[in-house]
Amino acid sequence: MKTPRVYAKQIPEEDQAASGGGRLGVGRSGVIDEFNGDFLQWLRGFYYVARTGSISRAAAKMNRSQSSVSYSLQCLERQLNVMLFRRRNNILEITPEGVQLLDWAVSAFELLEDLKDTLSCASGELSGSVGVAGSMTILKQERVSNLIMEFMELHPRVQVSLRVGPPREALESIEYGIADFALLALARRPEKFLAVRLGTAPFILVTPKRHGFDLDRMPTREQLRRLPFVTYMGDDGAEIHTPFLAEEKLDGLTGRTVLKVNQYDLVLEYIARGAGCAIMDMLSLKMLPAYAKKTSFHPLGHFLDDLEYFMVSRRHRSLSPAASALARQVRALFVRQEEESRS
């Protein structure tokens, strides 16, 4: 996990911290130790500080003052008898104990949320909220969007939240408990998370429908190096041939770049107009069927392994009944798609 750096403008004095101490836990007698009634609010403040990397941003999200959030952190440290942040000239750096507590806090809040959802579903009718993060290439698929719409119509008491973004943001939303699961196209299986493989998509060379390029059906390295390329541009302006592959994987497979754009549909728009070629996965091309009719493609399986897509969730987390139901339907959909592609 990336260690957040926290900037605190005001830290209350030691005598403002809550009195008492000791570690929480279940004693040998089987009795749960008593702790302050504000403990969950302190834990909530700690969660938002660690997640946002800033006491001021955490306070804004919680609609509280910065001083009260800082005070909550000190109360939590005193209650647990551990140091959660190192204080250096008003800069707070999360400690290993803080990282451990953050993981526990996310699990605890997820458990409480799942408890509410489970109890509210006792009548047999699903309710609560389901958060799904993922790649646009997956969430915009017609079959996936149709499935989500049908699920919402069948379960009107369930609120579904979709968060589209790059894999890094989707994995962070899983790590912090913002989303229940994510649907992602990834170059490799993420080790920190539980990842269920849903299917694959081959990498292809996309060209204009009509062109004068010297290309075999399965292009050679020499042919690829002579081509003009339209590339994807990252948030920092860096040139990316495809966001799903490290650039070193494409070493010797690309020619000069003639145009950089920051949206996949723009890449295809300019390819259709004859500006150049691009390397992408078949799933991305199918997502925009209008451009699929205006372009051609050549397989690159002799150079590149297929892209895999996964359903990703936190390890050791039980999904709520509503989230589990939607996840099962999504997995079943991709199983059917995989079977259809083989037949």
Side-chain angles (χ1 to χ4, degrees):
M1 171 185 164
K2 183 178 179 181
T3 301
R5 295 176 64 85
V6 184
Y7 300 85
K9 293 183 178 179
Q10 181 178 357
I11 299 178
E13 298 295 329
E14 286 294 328
D15 57 8
Q16 291 180 308
S19 60
R23 295 181 180 273
L24 298 177
V26 179
R28 293 181 179 178
S29 63
V31 178
I32 299 176
D33 293 344
E34 181 179 353
F35 57 88
N36 192 293
D38 293 327
F39 180 78
L40 286 179
Q41 284 301 323
W42 298 342
L43 196 62
R44 183 168 171 261
F46 164 77
Y47 164 82
Y48 277 110
V49 170
R51 174 185 158 189
T52 63
S54 164
I55 283 182
S56 61
R57 287 194 290 269
K61 280 187 171 292
M62 300 175 69
N63 196 27
R64 294 173 59 187
S65 66
Q66 294 184 39
S67 60
S68 68
V69 174
S70 296
Y71 176 70
S72 293
L73 291 180
Q74 287 202 345
C75 289
L76 187 60
E77 288 181 322
R78 183 64 64 88
Q79 178 77 61
L80 297 176
N81 195 27
V82 295
M83 181 179 290
L84 302 174
F85 296 93
R86 293 188 181 90
R87 295 165 173 81
R88 296 176 181 172
N89 298 324
N90 285 343
I91 296 177
L92 306 185
E93 294 182 355
I94 195 167
T95 64
E97 292 81 6
V99 172
Q100 185 178 15
L101 178 64
L102 178 61
D103 184 65
W104 181 90
V106 171
S107 297
F109 286 127
E110 285 176 342
L111 181 61
L112 290 173
E113 192 67 30
D114 292 346
L115 176 62
K116 290 193 301 182
D117 290 344
T118 300
L119 292 177
S120 66
C121 296
S123 63
E125 183 179 359
L126 293 180
S127 63
S129 60
V130 180
V132 183
S135 308
M136 177 70 78
T137 51
I138 297 179
L139 292 179
K140 200 174 179 180
Q141 281 190 60
E142 185 176 0
R143 287 187 175 186
V144 174
S145 58
N146 286 344
L147 184 149
I148 292 174
M149 290 296 297
E150 291 170 3
F151 181 86
M152 293 168 60
E153 291 174 4
L154 186 61
H155 306 289
R157 294 180 59 194
V158 176
Q159 182 186 65
V160 178
S161 301
L162 301 179
R163 302 175 64 89
V164 176
R168 174 182 53 79
E169 292 181 7
L171 292 176
E172 284 183 357
S173 70
I174 295 295
E175 185 173 12
Y176 288 120
I178 301 169
D180 293 286
F181 60 88
L183 304 174
L184 295 172
L186 299 169
R188 60 181 180 273
R189 185 185 298 267
E191 296 180 358
K192 286 179 58 179
F193 302 88
L194 179 64
V196 178
R197 182 180 173 277
L198 297 175
T200 61
F203 283 101
I204 55 176
L205 174 73
V206 183
T207 68
K209 198 75 172 179
R210 297 179 180 178
H211 62 79
F213 305 136
D214 177 23
L215 285 173
D216 296 338
R217 177 56 185 161
M218 299 181 69
T220 65
R221 288 182 181 272
E222 291 72 22
Q223 290 172 339
L224 292 171
R225 283 197 290 261
R226 290 197 294 266
L227 295 174
F229 276 84
V230 179
T231 63
Y232 183 78
M233 182 168 54
D235 293 337
D236 58 356
E239 177 182 325
I240 303 171
H241 283 85
T242 170
F244 304 120
L245 271 182
E247 285 297 300
E248 55 264 26
K249 293 281 188 179
L250 299 174
D251 188 33
L253 297 179
T254 58
R256 72 186 189 282
T257 297
V258 295
L259 181 65
K260 293 193 298 184
V261 299
N262 66 347
Q263 290 185 348
Y264 246 31
D265 53 348
L266 275 181
V267 172
L268 290 169
E269 172 68 26
Y270 280 93
I271 290 175
R273 290 172 174 265
C277 309
I279 292 176
M280 61 176 53
D281 62 283
M282 182 65 80
L283 194 62
S284 297
L285 182 61
K286 286 183 176 180
M287 183 190 75
L288 299 165
Y291 291 111
K293 297 177 181 178
K294 300 177 183 179
T295 58
S296 298
F297 69 88
H298 296 256
L300 295 177
H302 51 306
F303 293 127
L304 301 170
D305 293 333
D306 288 355
L307 179 68
E308 294 184 294
Y309 37 103
F310 299 91
M311 176 179 290
V312 183
S313 60
R314 275 170 53 87
R315 291 187 182 275
H316 314 301
R317 191 216 167 160
S318 298
L319 296 179
S320 68
S324 295
L326 180 57
R328 284 195 302 270
Q329 292 186 29
V330 171
R331 285 198 297 268
L333 171 66
F334 279 94
V335 168
R336 291 196 300 271
Q337 287 190 170
E338 191 85 346
E339 291 174 348
E340 290 173 4
S341 65
R342 292 173 181 171
S343 60

